């Protein structure tokens, strides 16, 4: 298996080299300029989604060979008509890359019945009617740059270059024109222009579209950049050279074609070989997982279960509840999705986590979170109300917690920092500990959360803690001491043995909980310490003060502003720091279990042993360990996955 892995790595290296070689003389220009979604909803979700997917597949197959693709799938109002086209100066490889980006993003228009997306290198449009001969329309817009060039000669040069490119494009069968023109009386100042019509237009419509674009784009002067996004054409000018070299039309062209064919064949064989290797690894992993009870439920089966259960919400219901995903209702943004506040018809406030995924790994996380949290019920765990698992998006519906997440209060602005006195913070600590005890002591399967941090501790109206975000959680049986799994979590909160070897136990959550205790007491964040006074990690700072007996010096100053007539605040805070240090000891066997940690926190008569040295995992060490993991420097097969704040991010 090791030899096979080595071969796979060699092939992957070849792919990277080929891609670098291709990029040397061209750029995919896959930057998204504007996406426009229609206002009307699709007619029949059951038909619309598969038609949409098949249409984009057909377009992808065509665009590989001819830089343009048209396709339509379905009948009646559920028909999907599609058009994709790359601009005339892209290479085949860059055209494919640009289309891949467009295809990934445009489905976010769903459940609208159509939309279009302009990139700097290509265009994609899908509708439920035939639009191929349209050249102008109500959605046509122009976008200007932010910098200005007040040289009158620059403006004159833009005018001439735009006219030349438009004339060139309307005369050629390629529907493509470009111009490079030097600004008079300057040494290194040029104007670059690209004009492109969709090839479904006739010559007359192309000319009309480009004439309109030429007149419109001049409205951007004196800015140094301008674009026109018309229904039937695209135009851009800039004082920066964005144009790719055109193919050489000489005898060397034939040589280039031969090279391209060879590269294509080698790439295909390479990709096929790597795909086979990956498939074997996936098969092996799935075979092992099927032998374990408590592993992932098959995604397709779970999707059907969810569709037929009380948990399922109609997409239209959630769309309406969030006012069509209004920006004003957005309450969080993370790397894998966005969270919106919504109000159901019965008046209930909800939080909807909106995930758009286009691969099975994110889908697996979605189904895992639904399955995991639906089987749990505890006052300190966020309550799942339901989900929607149809269409190109998947949605999770939670109870709405008005105070959102703990990190907003302990790392936020001064007003929020002052809101949480010691009593409230201590109650949050106890509630979080009780929630973790429930997960670790679950009668059916032990559950490790894997991403305990302040951003994943939500607060209700009375500031009671509720653990959220179970997308990375894993469960295993009582007869297992640990499980080996891909690394996932947030740097600064991951236990050293898990980061180094991928060995997961409940003690990984204990470590994260220990870091959380220190953050709650100090108001400083372990993973992002940007103060001028301290350059070490929070763990390192706390340990140094603990040995000196000066921990009180790093207490959150906002805690000092409150009066505590019935408690000894400083004594309690010192105890919490002590327990936090016990939780983050490098040797996991020395860390207390969560039930033990809870008893230490709740009872004053519990004996606290002297903590041993923490691992001092600083940012540099973390990056080194992650790099070693990705390069396969150990014998595990895990891959580092660093999470973002998925629920109520900062």
């Amino acid at each position: 298996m090791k030899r096979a892995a080595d071969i796979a790595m060699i092939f992957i290296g070849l792919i990277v080299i080929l891609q670098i070689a291709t990029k040397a003389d061209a750029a995919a220009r896959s930057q998204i300029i504007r996406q426009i979604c229609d206002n009307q909803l699709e007619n029949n979700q059951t038909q619309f989604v598969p038609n949409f997917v098949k249409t984009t597949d057909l377009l992808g197959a065509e665009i590989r060979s001819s830089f343009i693709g048209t396709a339509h799938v379905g009948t009646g109002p559920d028909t999907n008509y599609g058009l994709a086209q790359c601009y005339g100066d892209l290479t085949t490889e860059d055209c494919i890359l640009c289309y891949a980006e467009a295809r990934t993003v445009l489905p976010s228009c769903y459940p609208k019945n159509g939309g279009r997306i302009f990139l700097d290198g290509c265009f994609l449009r899908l509708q439920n009617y035939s639009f191929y001969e349209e050249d102008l329309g109500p959605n046509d817009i122009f976008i200007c740059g932010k910098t200005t060039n007040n040289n009158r000669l620059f403006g004159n040069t833009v005018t001439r270059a735009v006219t030349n490119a438009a004339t060139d494009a309307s005369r050629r069968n390629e529907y493509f024109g470009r111009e490079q023109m030097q600004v008079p009386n300057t040494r290194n100042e040029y104007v670059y222009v690209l004009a492109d019509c969709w090839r479904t237009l006739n010559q007359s419509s192309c000319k009309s579209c480009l004439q309109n674009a030429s007149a419109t784009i001049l409205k951007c002067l004196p800015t140094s950049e301008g674009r026109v996004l018309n229904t039937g054409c695209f135009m851009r000018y800039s004082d920066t050279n964005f144009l790719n070299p055109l193919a050489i039309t000489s005898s060397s062209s034939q040589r280039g074609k031969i090279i391209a064919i060879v590269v294509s064949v080698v790439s295909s064989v390479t990709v096929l070989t790597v795909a086979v290797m990956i498939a074997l690894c996936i098969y092996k992993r799935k075979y092992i997982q099927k032998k374990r009870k408590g592993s992932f439920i098959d995604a397709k089966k779970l999707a059907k279960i969810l569709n037929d259960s009380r948990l399922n919400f109609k997409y239209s219901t959630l769309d309406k509840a969030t006012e069509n995903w209004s920006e004003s209702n957005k309450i969080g943004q993370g790397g894998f999705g966005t969270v919106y506040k919504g109000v159901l018809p019965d008046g209930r406030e909800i939080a909807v986590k909106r995930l758009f995924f286009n691969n099975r790994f994110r889908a697996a996380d979605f189904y895992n979170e639904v399955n995991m949290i639906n089987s749990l019920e505890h006052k300190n765990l966020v309550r799942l109300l339901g989900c929607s698992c149809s269409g190109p998006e998947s949605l999770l519906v939670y109870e709405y917690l008005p105070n959102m997440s703990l990190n907003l209060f302990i790392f936020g602005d001064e007003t929020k920092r002052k809101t949480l006195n010691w009593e409230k913070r201590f109650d949050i600590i106890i509630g979080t500990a009780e929630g973790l005890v429930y997960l670790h002591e679950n009668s059916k399967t032990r559950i490790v959360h894997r991403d305990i941090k302040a951003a994943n501790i939500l607060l209700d109206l009375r500031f009671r803690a509720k653990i959220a975000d179970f997308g990375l959680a894993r469960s295993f049986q009582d007869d297992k001491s640990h499980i080996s799994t891909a690394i996932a979590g947030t740097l600064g909160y991951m236990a050293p043995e898990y980061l180094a070897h991928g060995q997961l136990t409940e003690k990984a959550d204990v470590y994260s909980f220990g870091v959380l205790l220190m953050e709650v007491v100090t108001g400083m964040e372990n993973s992002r310490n940007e103060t001028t006074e301290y350059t070490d990690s929070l763990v390192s700072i706390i340990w140094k003060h603990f040995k000196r007996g000066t921990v009180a010096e790093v207490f959150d100053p906002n805690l000092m502003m409150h009066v505590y007539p019935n408690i000894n605040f400083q004594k309690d805070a010192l105890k919490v720091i002590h327990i936090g240090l016990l939780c983050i000891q490098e040797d996991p066997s020395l860390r207390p279990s969560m039930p033990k940690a809870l008893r230490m926190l709740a009872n004053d008569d519990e004996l606290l042993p002297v903590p041993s040295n923490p691992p001092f995992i600083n940012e540099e060490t973390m990056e080194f360990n992650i790099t070693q993991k990705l390069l396969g420097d150990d014998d595990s097969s895990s891959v580092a996955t660093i999470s973002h704040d998925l629920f109520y991010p900062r």
Side-chain angles (χ1 to χ4, degrees):
M1 199 66 188
K2 185 178 185 302
R3 177 174 174 77
D6 291 340
I7 294 172
M9 288 303 296
I10 293 171
F11 280 132
I12 291 171
L14 285 173
I15 289 176
V16 173
I17 293 169
L18 288 171
Q19 288 180 337
I20 291 172
T22 301
K23 292 290 178 185
D25 294 320
R29 297 204 303 263
S30 56
Q31 300 87 350
I32 297 169
I33 306 306
R34 182 62 60 93
Q35 179 178 353
I36 303 169
C37 301
D38 290 356
N39 294 324
Q40 294 183 341
L41 297 174
E42 45 80 17
N43 178 64
N44 183 332
Q45 176 181 294
T46 305
Q47 292 298 320
F48 180 88
V49 174
N51 288 350
F52 179 97
V53 173
K54 188 172 182 181
T55 302
T56 55
D57 285 342
L58 293 172
L59 291 176
E62 286 194 27
I63 207 166
R64 281 175 167 80
S65 59
S66 57
F67 275 49
I68 180 174
T70 59
H72 69 276
V73 178
T75 58
D78 300 311
T79 304
N80 259 252
Y81 293 84
L83 164 67
Q85 181 171 322
C86 291
Y87 307 147
D89 63 333
L90 259 63
T91 65
T92 301
E93 291 81 3
D94 288 328
C95 178
I96 293 170
L97 287 173
C98 191
Y99 174 73
E101 178 70 17
R103 179 182 176 177
T104 300
V105 176
L106 189 61
S108 61
C109 279
Y110 180 85
K112 308 301 183 182
N113 65 3
R116 67 191 78 175
I117 183 169
F118 292 84
L119 290 80
D120 262 335
C122 61
F123 170 80
L124 173 62
R125 182 179 180 185
L126 288 104
Q127 305 282 178
N128 66 345
Y129 69 93
S130 178
F131 57 87
Y132 301 132
E133 297 180 0
E134 294 180 0
D135 58 338
L136 300 173
N139 289 319
D140 296 349
I141 59 172
F142 65 97
I143 301 173
C144 305
K146 296 180 179 179
T147 60
T148 59
N149 188 327
N150 292 313
N151 183 350
R152 180 177 57 85
L153 294 176
F154 172 78
N156 293 339
T157 307
V158 169
T159 302
R160 294 199 307 273
V162 162
T163 302
N164 290 352
T167 302
D168 203 22
S170 59
R171 285 176 181 169
R172 291 183 178 180
N173 292 329
E174 292 91 341
Y175 290 74
F176 166 70
R178 52 185 268 155
E179 185 65 65
Q180 175 179 330
M181 189 175 291
Q182 186 172 9
V183 179
N185 301 329
T186 63
R187 179 175 296 180
N188 296 312
E189 191 172 352
Y190 288 83
V191 171
Y192 306 90
V193 179
L194 180 145
D196 215 309
C197 284
W198 315 148
R199 298 180 205 174
T200 53
L201 300 180
N202 57 38
Q203 288 293 122
S204 175
S205 296
C206 174
K207 183 177 181 180
S208 172
C209 188
L210 289 174
Q211 284 177 341
N212 175 277
S214 300
T216 303
I217 205 167
L218 297 180
K219 296 177 182 178
C220 284
L221 291 174
T223 61
S224 59
E225 183 103 31
R227 295 177 177 85
V228 171
L229 316 179
N230 276 355
T231 300
C233 60
F234 173 88
M235 181 176 282
R236 177 186 180 187
Y237 81 80
S238 177
D239 62 356
T240 301
N241 188 4
F242 62 88
L243 300 170
N244 287 318
L246 290 175
I248 300 173
T249 56
S250 66
S251 59
S252 63
S253 175
Q254 294 300 319
R255 179 174 175 270
K257 289 181 179 178
I258 294 171
I259 293 173
I261 292 171
V262 173
V263 169
S264 177
V265 171
V266 173
S267 298
S268 299
V269 173
T270 300
V271 171
L272 179 61
T273 305
V274 174
V276 170
M277 298 304 303
I278 293 172
L280 288 172
C281 292
I282 292 173
Y283 175 80
K284 180 181 177 183
R285 184 172 296 177
K286 281 188 173 181
Y287 177 76
I288 294 172
Q289 286 181 338
K290 282 182 179 179
K291 295 174 67 177
R292 298 177 184 160
K293 295 179 181 179
S295 62
F296 277 116
I297 293 178
D298 180 78
K300 289 184 178 179
K301 290 181 180 178
L302 185 51
K304 186 178 186 308
I305 294 171
L306 294 175
N307 259 321
D308 298 338
S309 75
R310 61 177 177 79
L311 286 172
N312 190 44
F313 278 78
K314 289 183 178 180
Y315 185 96
S316 58
T317 300
L318 300 178
D319 183 60
K320 185 176 180 180
T322 58
E323 298 177 317
N324 304 115
W325 313 106
S326 168
E327 285 293 313
S328 62
N329 286 325
K330 185 187 290 188
I331 55 178
Q333 177 73 50
F336 298 110
T338 308
V339 182
Y340 295 81
K341 178 183 177 181
V343 181
L344 294 174
D346 60 7
R348 281 184 297 166
E349 292 183 320
I350 56 173
V352 185
K353 185 195 291 188
R354 187 187 192 194
L355 300 174
F356 178 76
F357 50 78
N358 55 4
N359 60 60
R360 67 177 186 85
F361 300 107
R362 292 189 186 179
D365 282 341
F366 168 76
Y367 293 130
N368 181 52
E369 181 159 4
V370 175
N371 183 50
M372 187 82 68
I373 198 170
N374 188 45
S375 65
L376 306 173
E377 189 173 351
H378 189 271
K379 65 182 178 66
N380 295 114
L381 303 183
V382 69
R383 187 158 58 96
L384 179 74
L385 302 179
C387 63
S388 174
C389 54
S390 58
E393 292 182 305
S394 288
L395 310 172
L396 291 169
V397 185
Y398 294 95
E399 60 178 322
Y400 175 70
L401 299 170
N403 284 317
M404 297 197 284
S405 59
L406 175 60
N407 66 317
L408 298 176
F409 287 89
I410 59 176
F411 308 136
D413 58 47
E414 287 303 313
T415 302
K416 284 190 176 293
R417 285 172 176 261
K418 293 173 183 176
T419 302
L420 293 186
N421 59 21
W422 178 247
E423 288 103 327
K424 289 178 180 176
R425 296 195 193 198
F426 189 74
D427 287 345
I428 289 169
I429 289 171
I430 294 295
T432 303
E434 290 177 346
L436 284 172
V437 169
Y438 172 80
L439 293 176
H440 293 181
E441 300 290 307
N442 194 289
S443 59
K444 295 180 181 179
T445 54
R446 295 144 55 200
I447 295 173
V448 180
H449 186 280
R450 287 208 298 177
D451 203 19
I452 293 297
K453 58 183 178 182
N456 286 337
I457 308 301
L458 306 188
L459 305 175
D460 68 10
L461 195 59
R462 295 166 57 186
F463 292 96
R464 289 175 298 194
K466 290 179 180 286
I467 300 173
D469 228 328
F470 286 77
L472 299 179
R474 292 294 179 267
S475 60
F476 53 103
Q477 293 177 287
D478 289 336
D479 60 346
K480 300 289 184 182
S481 62
H482 71 274
I483 58 174
S484 295
T485 180
I487 298 173
T490 303
L491 289 178
Y493 303 87
M494 290 190 285
E497 76 281 358
Y498 177 47
L499 186 61
H501 306 295
Q503 294 185 349
L504 183 65
T505 69
E506 295 96 329
K507 294 300 180 71
D509 279 352
V510 173
Y511 183 93
S512 303
F513 179 71
V515 174
L516 180 67
L517 294 184
M518 298 178 189
E519 292 181 331
V520 171
V521 175
T522 64
M524 292 189 290
E525 190 173 2
N526 187 51
S527 62
R528 190 186 301 174
N529 181 22
E530 297 174 348
T531 64
T532 56
E533 183 179 359
Y534 300 112
T535 57
D536 295 332
S537 70
L538 177 59
V539 169
S540 176
I541 294 167
I542 293 291
W543 179 245
K544 290 175 182 177
H545 279 283
F546 183 81
K547 290 193 296 182
R548 296 177 193 152
T550 57
V551 173
E553 292 181 11
V554 291
F555 287 168
D556 188 341
N558 294 287
L559 291 173
M560 312 294 188
M561 298 180 179
H562 298 275
V563 178
Y564 307 102
N566 301 319
I567 60 172
N568 187 334
F569 150 65
Q570 294 220 2
K571 178 183 176 183
D572 285 355
L574 284 170
K575 184 177 81 167
V576 169
I577 289 291
H578 191 146
I579 296 169
L581 287 170
L582 292 172
C583 291
I584 64 165
Q585 294 176 100
E586 186 166 8
D587 185 348
S589 65
L590 297 178
R591 298 174 207 152
S593 64
M594 277 312 305
K596 176 67 174 176
L598 178 59
R599 289 195 299 272
M600 290 177 175
L601 288 165
N603 302 323
D604 290 333
D605 55 355
E606 283 284 332
L607 181 64
L608 302 183
V610 177
S612 61
N613 290 2
F616 296 124
I617 301 179
N618 59 34
E619 204 168 296
E620 182 179 347
T621 306
M622 287 179 184
E623 290 176 358
F624 173 78
N625 285 334
I626 291 293
T627 303
Q628 295 301 96
K629 204 68 169 175
L630 286 169
L631 293 176
D633 211 36
D634 54 57
D635 59 359
S636 74
S637 60
S638 57
V639 178
T641 303
I642 308 306
S643 80
H644 298 269
D645 298 334
L646 302 184
F647 204 89
Y648 291 125
R650 196 167 32 256

